[in-house]
Amino acid sequence: MKINHYFIQTGRIDASLIFNPSTKMTKKNYFISFVLATTIFTIAACNKPHTNTRSIASTPQKEVVKINTPVFNSDSAYNYVAKQVAFGPRVPNSEAHKKCAKYLANELKRFGAEVIVQEADVVAFDKTVLKAKNIIGQFYPEKNNRILLFAHWDSRPFADYDKDPANYNTPIDGASDGASGVGILMEIARLIGKTGHNLGVDIIFFDAEDYGQPDHIKLPHAPDSWCLGSQYWAQNPHKKNYYARYGILLDMVGAKGALFHLERHSLQFAPTLTKKIWETAANLGFSSHFINAHGGYITDDHVYVNQHLNIPCVDIIQYDPNSRTSFGTYWHTLDDTMDNIDQLTLKAVGQTVLEVIYDEK
Ligand code: AHN
Ligand code: ZN
């Protein structure tokens, strides 16, 4: 990996810039150097209060390392998606859910993140108590300037949009809806561990996002029955006064030919970041996925992080205004399997997010 070093001058004047013995000095050069040095010392003497001189002279040079954007490996991301799906549906309180949580936490540790598994009992729309686990991987936890990346890792207990009503209560694989966002973030975590980053980065896998009240149940509309893990974390973050410059949520980011429209909450919460993400995608050649047109207002994990913690968040989520559910034909059906996952989509999203976060100073 090529690393460029940039130096920021912090107020020290280096005498070798003025009197450099290795440079061939002509009479004219001596004269120019003399005038230059006299001028600089005069200006310095006139402008700086006397007491400050020592502290300025002893300030060390600050080094800023520009790290080139790593290359997103979609093969690796695909394997992280497959690995989750192989546990079976990651429905809260199930055995597969427990095993997958351990796997994700251990992998993040292996990449060098400091991991916290935040456990919480949250109550679902049907009064089931869910033993939720938010899995939090922190890179450079000591840094104050931070970026937050997140996705939900649970999968839906009901295939309530399946073509066969007999499947309405069957859990889904959630290859795209759940595992794809986590798979991309696992690959990004691996790359951050390998390459480093100038800022702190938190990667959070939220639980109990997809236990929301099914539409076919004749109960009043309950948007807050979704996103239970992120609602809990946003009101009880793992660190007091937690803040990040911004957050990026990945949801349903693995399906073949997925379209990502500008999600409307994101445009309201984080207009600059939303535009930057879509522009970056276009510059990288991914505008067939990242459509420069408005989508819907989608209740998702980013809404609560924004509302409670005031962190501007963007949701990259598959949204097709022309499909029946707006979310692609596999959504909340038994068809959301590995057959649905395309490495080209993983690459488009993964490389775009990497480019955006490695552009941060
Ligand atoms: C609602 O359907 C209210 N929100 C979509 C959030 C979601 C479900 N993302 C994945 N599955
Ligand atoms: Zn879902």
Side-chain angles (χ1 to χ4, degrees), residues 152 156 177 209-210 226 331-332:
H152 77 89
R156 185 153 179 79
D177 189 357
E209 188 274 348
D210 231 345
W226 302 82
W331 188 65
H332 293 179

Side-chain angles (χ1 to χ4, degrees), residues 25 132-133 253 292 336:
M25 295 297 266
K133 297 177 204 290
V253 282
N292 193 13
D336 188 2

